[in-house]
């Protein structure tokens, strides 16, 4: 997944209608949703792009209800591969700095800055995977959370 660009509007120069539109798009995470869909579309390049997009939206709707299996460019094998690249000698851990940079590279913005192992500068694969999977799920959950 490509990290979405930061969308900023010059509210000082925008009309009330433009500000209202910007607030709507932000509140409902429309730009993030479109960015994720376009990224997946360009990565997969399906023969039937409209059907592909409809399938992705259906997966997102299902994931919203089940709180799992969000459509994403990255899966667990990608997370394992990233960790493997950072731990080429198979020590079983990476540094805190590597952990933070890897998560940012995966497009994860909000994550635990000092996870288990941080005090020793040794982040294990299990810790990395746990944080990465939660972060990827949150990054792919591009919809407004409803109040129950």
């Amino acid at each position: 997944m490509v990290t979405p660009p930061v969308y900023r509007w010059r509210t000082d120069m925008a009309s009330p209608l433009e500000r209202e539109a910007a607030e709507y798009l932000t509140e409902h995470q429309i730009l993030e949703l479109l960015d994720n869909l376009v990224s997946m579309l360009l990565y997969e390049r399906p023969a039937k792009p409209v059907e592909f997009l409809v399938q992705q939206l259906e997966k997102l709707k299902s994931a919203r209800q089940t709180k799992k299996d969000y459509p994403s460019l990255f899966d667990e094998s990608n997370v394992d591969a990233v960790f493997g690249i950072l731990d080429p000698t198979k020590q079983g851990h990476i540094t805190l700095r590597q952990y933070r940079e890897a998560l940012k590279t995966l497009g994860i913005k909000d994550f635990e800055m000092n996870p288990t192992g941080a005090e020793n500068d040794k982040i294990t694969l299990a810790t990395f995977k746990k944080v990465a999977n939660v972060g990827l799920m949150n990054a792919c959950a591009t919809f407004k959370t409803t109040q129950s």
Side-chain angles (χ1 to χ4, degrees):
M1 174 175 58
V2 176
T3 302
V6 176
Y7 298 100
R8 294 192 179 124
W9 292 272
R10 297 227 19 210
T11 54
D12 58 328
M13 295 179 66
S15 71
L17 189 56
E18 289 170 321
R19 282 193 300 274
E20 183 181 323
E23 288 170 10
Y24 177 84
L25 293 172
T26 301
E27 177 184 352
H28 294 281
Q29 296 179 287
I30 301 299
L31 298 173
E32 292 85 355
L33 171 64
L34 293 174
D35 188 65
N36 283 347
L37 289 172
V38 170
S39 295
M40 287 187 287
L41 184 67
L42 293 174
Y43 180 77
E44 297 287 335
R45 298 187 188 263
K48 298 180 179 180
V50 173
E51 284 181 26
F52 175 82
L53 291 171
V54 168
Q55 289 171 351
Q56 296 310 307
L57 288 169
E58 287 172 350
K59 285 181 185 179
L60 186 60
K61 181 179 178 183
S62 174
R64 181 180 186 179
Q65 294 167 346
T66 63
K67 297 191 180 354
K68 62 180 182 177
D69 298 326
Y70 290 88
S72 174
L73 287 177
F74 296 111
D75 61 20
E76 195 156 329
S77 68
N78 300 121
V79 174
D80 288 336
V82 168
F83 188 90
I85 290 168
L86 297 173
D87 182 25
T89 59
K90 308 270 189 262
Q91 297 178 66
H93 62 270
I94 59 175
T95 67
L96 181 59
R97 181 172 177 233
Q98 289 173 313
Y99 159 88
R100 290 176 179 167
E101 290 303 316
L103 293 174
K104 289 177 191 174
T105 299
L106 288 171
I108 301 169
K109 296 177 185 173
D110 298 318
F111 56 87
E112 192 175 348
M113 293 300 288
N114 294 299
T116 303
E119 62 280 357
N120 300 324
D121 202 29
K122 294 182 178 181
I123 311 301
T124 65
L125 174 60
T127 297
F128 180 74
K129 284 174 77 166
K130 177 183 168 192
V131 174
N133 288 334
V134 168
L136 288 170
M137 181 186 75
N138 290 338
C140 295
T142 49
F143 49 77
K144 181 181 175 187
T145 305
T146 57
Q147 302 296 323
S148 299

